[in-house]
């Protein structure tokens, strides 16, 4: 049985989406009122979907674990959101945006989905603007753009360094409007712990009310996950500390396949690890590299303060290695280059694990005021955290776990392998291949939520109009609830000595060392063993205080970390079978003579898609072959 | 560094809370304030105690989740800083730090330092949006907005919904929060259409939820971690009076 069907519509690439829309099934307005949709997540993807699905007239129940939908981690996106408006008349087009994403993703994403993401990007900017998002403007009153992430056109819309916050608040206002209309019912501080499947279809979820601890059942005709990324699997990352993979992982264990788990973007510029207590890494936006120059001392272990190191003793290694792109190389390339210098002993700071990002030349040339106008809030943020003034001393930066390209496998309709279960935004694997280009995630999230899922879910629900409300007093719900309660009891009953966080930190360290910026067979295998041992230790010695029927933050963390162990093993398993380097996945065995990533299209031009086979059984690999009809597959070269 | 802590502990909304004293002998000035609380919690858990519950998520000053009333100030000492951006280097060796939840009738305590700020969502749902359905937006550049208005709208829009303004105010007024949203939308051409209805609906909801009146103490502006300006309140009042007169004329 061929289990993977991407359902890519027929026809030429630019026409696929319009053809799909003109032939999809529709649900009439009277029937929409009778259909319930469960939507988990209120980030830019989820909030946009809530707003749009509510607007169409569906009954939508929306969940998030924060105290309000407006705090989803989309709020932290800094740099911007892409669209192919071509307002700058610099030759941009839907095709070029599509092409940049395919190339940026190192030819490991599905053409049809990426093209559509680019295609709906313009409508997204219209929608967000109409919702009152205060994007930056020119003096004439039109919207401004900037360039971002090593592409050759200016297509990034932004709101200072707080684009994610502003886009999310726009979507949240749309969601709120539907709350008023009565189409959306919001459940905050409510965490999905399991998915319920009835007769092979996704029909509901089991949640824990994080205030009372109550385990609750919710049913719907379809379930949409918009649960975001899980870079927190590395413990330290640029994500919010509570971001996690548990909802998607529950779906995986119920039969939804997982795509490309080993593809994780390590962002090159975050404030480095400063001490052992650190709980999170703060991103310093990619846009800084438009003006900042990256360097390390030419001499190994040079401990002089940065400003005492003369010009000729500095190694601007990105400019040296990549003269064409210089400091603007894509993220994966920038991260590996920093690691290479630090591993070779040239890193700076107490730990030797950081490099300089220097604005001296830019300040001399453009003046302090100009730099402040562009990056003021980032400079302030840096100073608050480190106590160092970056106008006077170069910033210190180091790569950090940032974005998970992998996620639930979805077809063209953004439906997982479980009928009626959809995944949107960062929680799916869809649009970024092996490496994501800057400002393209917000674009994808808003596009998925506003313009794609409202259509594709209708095509599914059109066959459900005769299905009455899904009852929750059925054996399927009983069973799922029982399993959830059992896991909670198990976590509480270990009563060992070590905190959840201490395990999380150790897991993060193993993953970072063996499945981080570079990987090799031996290390991956070792990582797998170490994680397995750590997981066993966790279940023997973790200490989760308190009870199940109260607000219990340690219990919340424990459940998430327990899932991270399992996901971490899948990440490594995937890294092991992919014996090539592509995008963020750098296998040391597969590199060119100059140390660049070497893809192996002959053997690995596929999405690796994993099926859960049960506890203690190895997952099964399926392959979605990638066929490039509209782009020529080339070597990514930034020299 | 050594610090002493006096922290509000409250099991749940129904029970009474009390201050409990703790001390930490080995904190580093480099730690963030929340990392210091993490360290306390690790210690409490390892000793078999109950960790202190507090809200937090992004830990970089943007989500608005963290709260904490520290030494008499929402988000502690330091201008334009959220609790998660605060570092131990802002305190002295041996200092006693008093930590309480936000205190306001409309923000009931859920547990320890966590309060329920749902009232803010209710105010937004009353009218803090532009009524534009998905798909009906016009070409973005067909709406021109003066750069200075867009920039001002951005400044108002940078409110993170943390609630410090309410906690800072002796009347527990939500005027700064509400006026920031109203200003953002009223400053943009696309938000002007519904400006009058919006202000009436949001103010009515705010009153209904039990937030107090504004008596111009400016405490909110002083404590707001995002520098939201009091001029937003003046702008909102103008709109509100305008809306009231408008609806009287209609009647
Ligand atoms: C620091 C930073 C900067 C970034 N900058 C940019 C940028 O400039 N441009 C760009 O395009 N991209 C950027 N990105 C990436 C982008 O912000 C994210 O990929 C995107 O916002 C993810 O949105 P989302 O809607 O998929 O998920 P999120 O916004 O993460 O939302 C996830 C939602 O799911 C909910 N949830 C999760 N699990 C559960 C559960 N079990 N039960 C209930 N609810 C649950 C959460 O409560 C939350 O509401 C950045 C990312 C980071 C971390
Ligand atoms: S106005 Fe300031 S203090 Fe009040 S909620 Fe907004 S950011 Fe917080
Ligand atoms: S935790 Fe997000 S603002 Fe403090």
């Amino acid at each position: 049985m061929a289990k993977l069907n991407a359902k890519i519509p027929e026809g030429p690439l630019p026409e696929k989406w319009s053809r799909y829309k003109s032939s999809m099934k529709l649900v009439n307005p009277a029937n929409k009122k009778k259909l319930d949709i469960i939507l988990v997540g209120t980030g830019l993807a989820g909030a946009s979907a809530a707003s749009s699905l509510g607007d169409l007239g569906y009954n939508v129940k929306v969940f998030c674990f924060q105290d309000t939908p407006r705090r989803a981690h989309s709020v932290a996106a800094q740099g911007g959101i892409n669209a192919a408006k071509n307002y700058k008349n610099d030759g941009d087009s839907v095709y070029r945006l599509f092409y940049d994403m395919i190339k940026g993703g190192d030819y490991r994403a599905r053409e049809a989905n990426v093209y559509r993401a680019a295609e709906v990007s313009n409508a997204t900017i219209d929608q967000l603007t109409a919702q009152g998002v205060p994007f930056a403007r020119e003096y004439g009153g039109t919207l401004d753009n900037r360039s971002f992430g090593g592409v050759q056109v200016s297509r990034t819309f932004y709101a200072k360094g707080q684009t994610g916050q502003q886009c999310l608040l726009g979507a949240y206002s749309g969601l709120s409007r539907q709350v008023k209309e009565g189409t959306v019912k919001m459940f905050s501080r409510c965490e999905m712990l399991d998915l319920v499947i009835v007769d092979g279809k996704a029909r509901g979820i089991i949640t824990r009310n994080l205030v009372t601890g109550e385990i609750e059942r919710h049913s719907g005709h379809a379930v949409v996950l918009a649960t975001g990324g899980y870079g927190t699997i590395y413990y330290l990352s640029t994500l919010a500390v509570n971001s996690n993979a548990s909802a998607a992982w529950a779906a995986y264990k119920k039969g939804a396949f997982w795509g490309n788990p080993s593809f994780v973007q390590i962002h090159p510029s975050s404030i480095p690890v400063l001490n052992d207590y650190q709980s999170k890494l703060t991103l310093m936006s990619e846009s800084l590299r438009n003006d900042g120059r990256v360097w390390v001392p030419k001499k190994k272990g040079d401990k002089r303060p940065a400003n005492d190191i003369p010009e000729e003793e500095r190694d601007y290694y990105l400019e040296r290695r990549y003269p064409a792109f210089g400091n603007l190389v894509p993220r994966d390339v920038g991260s590996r280059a920093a690691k290479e210098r630090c591993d070779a002993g040239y890193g700076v700071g107490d730990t030797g694990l950081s490099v300089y990002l220097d604005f001296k030349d830019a300040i001399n040339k453009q003046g302090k005021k100009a730099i402040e106008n562009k990056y003021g809030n980032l400079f302030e943020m840096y100073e608050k955290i480190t106590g160092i003034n970056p106008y006077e001393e170069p910033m210190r930066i180091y790569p950090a776990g940032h974005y998970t390209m992998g996620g639930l496998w979805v077809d063209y309709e953004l439906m997982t392998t479980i009928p009626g279960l959809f995944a949107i935004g960062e929680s799916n694997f869809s649009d970024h291949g092996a490496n994501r280009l800057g400002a393209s995630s917000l674009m994808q999230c808003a596009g998925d939520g506003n313009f794609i899922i409202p259509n594709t879910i209708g095509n599914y629900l059109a066959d459900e109009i005769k299905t009455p409300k899904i009852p929750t007093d059925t054996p399927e719900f009983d069973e799922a609830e029982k399993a959830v309660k059992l896991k909670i009891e198990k976590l509480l009953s270990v009563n060992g000595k070590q905190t959840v966080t201490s395990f999380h930190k150790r897991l993060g360290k193993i993953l970072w060392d063996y499945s981080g910026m570079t990987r090799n067979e031996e290390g991956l295998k070792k990582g797998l063993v170490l994680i397995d041992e750590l997981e066993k230790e966790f279940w023997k010695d973790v200490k989760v205080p308190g009870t199940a029927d109260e607000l219990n933050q340690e219990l919340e963390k424990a459940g998430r970390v327990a899932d991270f162990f399992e996901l971490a093993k899948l990440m490594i398993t995937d890294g092991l079978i992919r014996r090539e380097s592509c995008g963020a996945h750098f296998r040391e065995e597969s590199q060119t003579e100059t140390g660049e990533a070497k893809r192996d299209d002959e053997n690995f031009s596929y999405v690796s898609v994993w099926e859960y086979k049960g506890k203690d059984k190895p997952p099964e690999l399926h392959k979605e072959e990638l066929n490039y009809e509209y782009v020529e597959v080339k070597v990514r070269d930034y020299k | 560094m050594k610090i002493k802590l006096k922290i509000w502990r409250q099991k749940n909304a129904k029970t009474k809370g009390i201050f409990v004293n703790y001390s930490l002998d080995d904190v580093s000035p480099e730690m963030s304030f929340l990392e210091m609380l993490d360290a306390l919690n690790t210690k409490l858990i390892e000793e078999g105690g109950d960790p202190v519950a507090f809200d937090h998520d992004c830990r970089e000053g943007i989500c608005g989740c963290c709260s904490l009333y520290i030494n008499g100030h929402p988000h502690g000492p330091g201008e334009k800083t959220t609790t998660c951006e605060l570092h131990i280097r802002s305190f002295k060796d041996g200092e006693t730090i008093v930590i309480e939840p936000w205190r306001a009738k409309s923000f009931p305590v859920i547990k320890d330092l966590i309060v329920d700020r749902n009232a803010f969502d209710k105010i937004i749902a009353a009218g803090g949006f532009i009524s534009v359905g998905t798909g009906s937006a016009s070409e973005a550049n067909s709406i021109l907005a003066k750069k200075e208005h867009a920039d001002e709208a951005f400044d108002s829009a940078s409110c993170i919904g943390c609630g410090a303004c309410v906690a800072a105010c002796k009347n527990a007024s939500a005027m700064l929060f509400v006026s920031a949203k109203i200003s953002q939308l009223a400053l943009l051409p696309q938000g002007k259409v519904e400006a009058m209805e919006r202000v009436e609906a949001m103010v009515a909801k705010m009153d209904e939820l039990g937030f107090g009146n504004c008596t111009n103490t400016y405490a909110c502006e002083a404590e707001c971690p995002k520098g939201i300006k009091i001029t937003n309140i003046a702008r909102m009042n103008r709109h509100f009076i305008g809306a009231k007169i408008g609806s009287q004329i209609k009647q």
Side-chain angles (χ1 to χ4, degrees):
Chain A
M1 187 174 88
K3 282 190 175 161
L4 287 177
N5 178 2
K7 293 195 261 170
I8 299 168
E10 292 295 314
L13 191 61
E15 285 170 34
K16 286 184 193 295
W17 183 230
S18 31
R19 283 200 192 191
Y20 174 89
K21 283 189 289 181
S22 41
S23 60
M24 69 187 184
K25 286 172 262 175
L26 298 174
V27 181
N28 84 32
N31 284 330
K32 286 197 182 100
K33 282 193 206 106
K34 295 184 217 147
L35 292 166
D36 302 326
I37 298 174
I38 300 267
L39 170 59
V40 188
T42 59
L44 189 55
S48 305
S51 164
S52 305
L53 294 170
D55 210 18
L56 285 169
Y58 292 109
N59 283 316
V60 197
K61 277 185 169 184
V62 183
F63 299 81
C64 71
F65 61 71
Q66 290 92 347
D67 65 328
T68 147
R70 65 181 289 159
R71 308 212 201 283
H73 199 53
S74 291
V75 80
Q78 299 174 348
I81 174 166
N82 282 339
K85 287 279 194 188
N86 194 29
Y87 282 164
K88 292 283 182 189
N89 196 28
D90 56 3
D92 202 5
S93 63
V94 167
Y95 181 85
R96 199 177 283 279
L97 173 52
F98 151 76
Y99 176 81
D100 285 344
M101 283 175 72
I102 291 280
K103 176 186 172 200
D106 217 0
Y107 306 94
R108 290 291 174 266
R110 189 191 292 152
E111 273 189 338
N113 285 53
V114 178
Y115 191 90
R116 179 182 56 186
E119 190 177 342
V120 302
S121 68
N122 291 342
T124 289
I125 297 302
D126 298 342
Q127 179 66 24
L128 289 169
T129 305
Q131 279 171 333
V133 173
F135 284 123
R137 290 188 181 255
E138 308 262 22
Y139 282 102
T142 53
L143 296 174
D144 191 17
N145 291 118
R146 65 178 167 204
S147 69
F148 202 72
V151 293
Q152 287 151 314
V153 292
S154 277
R155 61 160 75 101
T156 303
F157 294 79
Y158 65 100
K160 288 206 179 143
Q162 284 152 250
T163 317
Q165 178 196 31
Q166 294 309 319
C167 292
L168 179 65
L169 292 181
Y172 159 74
S173 74
L175 177 155
S176 301
R177 177 170 161 248
Q178 294 308 319
V179 170
K180 185 179 191 180
E181 297 291 321
T183 58
V184 166
K185 189 153 192 272
M186 188 63 227
F187 295 81
S188 299
R189 291 200 201 268
C190 196
E191 181 160 14
M192 165 181 168
L193 294 179
D194 207 358
L195 176 74
V196 183
I197 297 188
V198 182
D199 295 333
K201 292 178 176 171
R203 291 301 196 192
I205 60 172
I206 306 291
T207 60
R208 179 164 180 272
N209 177 323
L210 299 182
V211 175
T212 62
E214 233 161 301
I215 302 298
E216 293 158 343
R217 304 172 179 202
H218 300 274
S219 71
H221 294 86
V223 177
V224 182
L225 298 186
T227 48
Y230 48 87
T232 30
I233 195 164
Y234 289 96
Y235 185 65
L236 289 176
S237 77
T238 63
L239 273 87
V241 296
N242 299 310
S243 300
N244 68 84
S246 290
W249 193 249
Y252 169 72
K253 287 169 93 171
K254 284 279 165 88
F257 293 3
W258 199 285
N260 295 333
S262 64
F263 291 172
V264 184
Q265 178 165 77
I266 310 290
H267 195 291
S269 53
S270 127
I271 298 180
V273 178
L274 301 168
N275 54 56
D276 286 347
Y277 318 106
Q278 204 150 332
S279 54
K280 121 126 220 161
L281 295 171
T282 300
L283 185 74
M284 286 287 109
S285 169
E286 183 155 40
S287 58
L288 291 168
R289 283 192 283 141
N290 281 322
D291 286 300
R293 297 177 69 195
V294 178
W295 64 275
V296 292
K298 279 189 180 158
K299 209 167 79 210
K300 257 189 203 182
D302 193 336
K303 290 284 168 210
R304 284 176 291 174
N307 288 338
D308 293 354
I309 300 179
E311 204 48 42
E312 58 281 6
E313 292 178 41
R314 300 175 174 196
D315 175 16
Y316 294 92
Y317 60 86
L318 287 177
E319 296 168 28
R320 169 170 59 77
R321 278 181 72 177
Y322 306 98
F325 277 73
N327 294 294
L328 292 174
V329 289
R331 293 174 179 178
D332 51 342
V333 177
S335 292
R336 281 196 294 275
K339 176 174 161 45
E340 187 278 328
R341 281 295 80 189
C342 293
D343 288 353
Y346 297 92
V348 298
D350 290 342
T351 54
L353 286 178
S354 60
V355 300
Y356 290 124
L357 177 63
D358 200 336
F359 296 88
K360 182 179 57 107
D361 293 344
I363 292 172
N364 285 342
K365 210 155 135 203
Q366 304 168 36
K368 188 178 162 197
K369 194 78 212 151
I371 297 301
E372 192 181 325
N373 278 341
K374 284 195 234 180
Y375 313 115
N377 67 326
L378 294 168
F379 276 49
E380 239 176 66
M381 212 161 162
Y382 182 86
E383 186 169 357
K384 267 183 203 161
I385 293 171
T386 62
I388 292 166
N389 177 351
Y391 292 102
E392 280 158 21
E393 267 179 60
M395 286 183 177
R396 283 203 293 120
I397 55 164
Y398 198 66
H402 180 61
Y403 181 88
T404 38
M405 280 78 69
L408 290 172
W409 184 89
V410 290
D411 59 21
Y412 189 74
E413 298 189 293
L414 304 184
M415 186 147 85
T416 67
T417 47
I418 300 176
L421 178 71
F422 296 80
I424 61 176
E426 192 174 339
S427 72
N428 74 27
F429 88 108
S430 172
D431 294 347
H432 309 289
N435 174 54
R436 178 175 70 81
L437 280 189
S440 58
S441 174
L442 293 178
M443 168 191 127
Q444 179 220 338
C445 290
D448 282 1
N450 281 312
F451 299 108
I452 301 172
I453 196 79
N455 289 302
T456 58
I457 207 169
N459 191 46
Y460 174 79
L461 289 173
D463 294 332
E464 295 287 339
I465 50 176
K466 297 217 173 65
T467 313
K469 208 168 188 57
I470 314 292
T472 56
D473 54 351
T474 57
E476 292 87 352
F477 276 90
D478 291 346
E479 207 175 298
E481 182 178 315
K482 209 171 106 194
V484 160
K485 285 186 168 157
L486 205 71
K487 180 171 167 191
I488 291 175
E489 269 165 39
K490 216 173 130 193
L491 285 166
L492 286 167
S493 64
V494 177
N495 204 11
K497 284 197 231 28
Q498 304 177 61
T499 63
V500 176
T501 302
S502 70
F503 280 104
H504 192 178
K505 275 189 189 172
R506 285 162 70 193
L507 170 67
K509 175 88 172 58
I510 298 173
L511 269 184
W512 185 251
D513 289 346
Y514 300 108
S515 184
M517 278 179 279
T518 66
R519 296 117 189 235
N520 62 50
E521 174 124 9
E522 198 192 319
L524 286 165
K525 284 185 173 154
K526 183 161 174 204
L528 207 52
V529 174
L530 290 174
I531 291 170
D532 216 41
E533 285 168 10
L534 190 65
E535 187 185 22
K536 291 200 177 93
E537 189 180 327
F538 174 87
W539 285 108
K540 263 195 231 119
D541 199 33
V542 71
K543 170 130 189 134
V544 184
T547 62
D549 52 4
E550 61 177 339
L551 188 151
N552 187 340
Q553 293 174 312
E554 287 298 312
L555 178 61
E556 294 165 26
K557 276 196 264 180
R560 296 166 189 164
V561 172
D563 292 337
F564 276 152
F565 286 121
E566 299 177 9
L567 173 55
K569 289 192 275 185
L570 188 68
M571 270 170 83
I572 293 197
T573 307
D574 188 50
L576 268 169
I577 60 113
R578 195 172 280 279
R579 291 194 186 81
E580 65 157 352
S581 295
C582 61
H585 174 67
F586 189 85
R587 279 288 297 261
E588 287 161 12
E589 300 91 334
S590 180
Q591 51 180 307
T592 64
E593 275 158 28
T594 52
E596 303 302 325
K598 200 163 120 198
R599 253 187 8 242
D600 175 358
D601 293 328
E602 193 128 337
N603 294 304
F604 294 99
S605 181
Y606 61 75
V607 180
S608 42
V609 190
W610 297 92
E611 179 182 3
Y612 182 71
K613 288 301 214 185
K615 199 175 174 302
D616 302 323
K617 289 206 191 97
E620 183 181 340
L621 174 66
H622 303 264
K623 295 177 184 175
E624 180 194 344
E625 295 294 337
L626 293 166
N627 302 309
Y628 290 93
E629 290 176 56
Y630 290 85
V631 296
E632 188 197 338
V633 178
K634 290 197 208 143
V635 174
R636 237 165 114 230
D637 184 9
Y638 295 94
K639 294 246 178 216
Chain B
M1 235 172 108
K2 282 186 192 184
I3 49 165
K4 296 199 184 83
L5 297 163
K6 199 170 154 191
I7 302 181
W8 185 260
R9 302 299 312 259
Q10 182 172 338
K11 194 154 175 45
N12 55 42
K14 287 180 208 112
T15 54
K16 267 190 159 169
I18 47 159
F19 278 108
V20 178
N21 295 320
Y22 303 95
S23 61
L24 284 173
D25 293 341
D26 189 19
V27 297
S28 140
E30 305 264 275
M31 275 179 163
S32 77
F33 196 81
L34 297 185
E35 283 156 9
M36 179 276 291
L37 286 180
D38 291 343
L40 172 69
N41 278 344
T42 301
K43 188 172 156 220
L44 290 176
I45 296 166
E46 284 170 356
E47 289 168 354
D50 192 17
V52 180
F54 60 93
D55 260 331
H56 63 103
D57 199 25
C58 75
R59 295 203 174 192
E60 58 182 68
I62 192 73
C63 75
C65 205
C66 62
S67 48
L68 306 192
Y69 201 77
I70 303 163
N71 287 350
H73 294 279
H75 294 299
E79 261 176 59
K80 292 206 219 161
T81 306
T82 55
T83 293
C84 60
E85 293 173 299
L86 188 63
H87 281 70
I88 297 302
R89 56 177 170 268
S90 307
F91 299 89
K92 288 193 282 297
D93 196 7
E95 189 171 341
T96 300
I97 307 175
V98 185
I99 312 174
E100 298 168 74
W102 282 176
R103 304 225 188 247
K105 190 173 111 204
S106 312
F107 290 165
V109 172
I110 293 176
K111 181 176 181 179
D112 295 339
L113 302 170
I114 298 183
V115 299
D116 181 352
R117 287 170 285 189
N118 237 281
F120 272 7
D121 287 329
K122 292 188 181 139
I123 297 175
I124 298 293
F129 47 75
I130 293 172
S131 302
V132 52
T134 309
S136 60
S138 56
E139 206 312 303
N141 263 350
S142 68
I143 312 168
L144 298 181
K146 256 176 134 39
K147 180 170 165 45
E148 64 210 64
H149 291 165
D151 288 349
E152 227 184 318
F154 172 87
D155 289 341
S156 303
S158 60
C159 160
I160 56 175
C162 63
C165 45
V166 176
C169 176
K170 67 178 166 56
N171 309 318
S173 163
M175 289 286 263
L176 195 62
F177 167 78
V178 176
S179 67
K181 183 47 74 182
I182 283 171
S183 291
Q184 174 206 341
L185 297 178
L187 279 161
L188 295 168
Q190 57 273 44
K192 284 204 163 62
V193 184
E194 297 166 284
M196 294 303 168
E197 294 84 350
R198 178 179 308 118
V199 72
E200 280 198 282
M202 289 177 75
V203 169
K205 184 52 90 179
M206 171 179 85
D207 292 342
E208 179 197 317
L209 292 167
F211 289 100
N213 287 326
C214 171
T215 52
N216 296 314
T217 67
Y218 292 52
C220 54
E221 186 187 58
E223 300 289 3
C224 171
K226 293 293 139 180
I228 303 295
K229 295 206 184 75
I230 203 103
T231 44
N232 286 298
I233 299 186
R235 186 183 291 109
M236 174 171 103
N237 285 337
R238 279 199 308 277
H239 282 288
F240 186 66
I241 293 164
K244 281 285 170 220
I245 294 171
S247 55
Q248 271 160 16
I249 292 172
K250 262 188 267 161
Q251 284 160 14

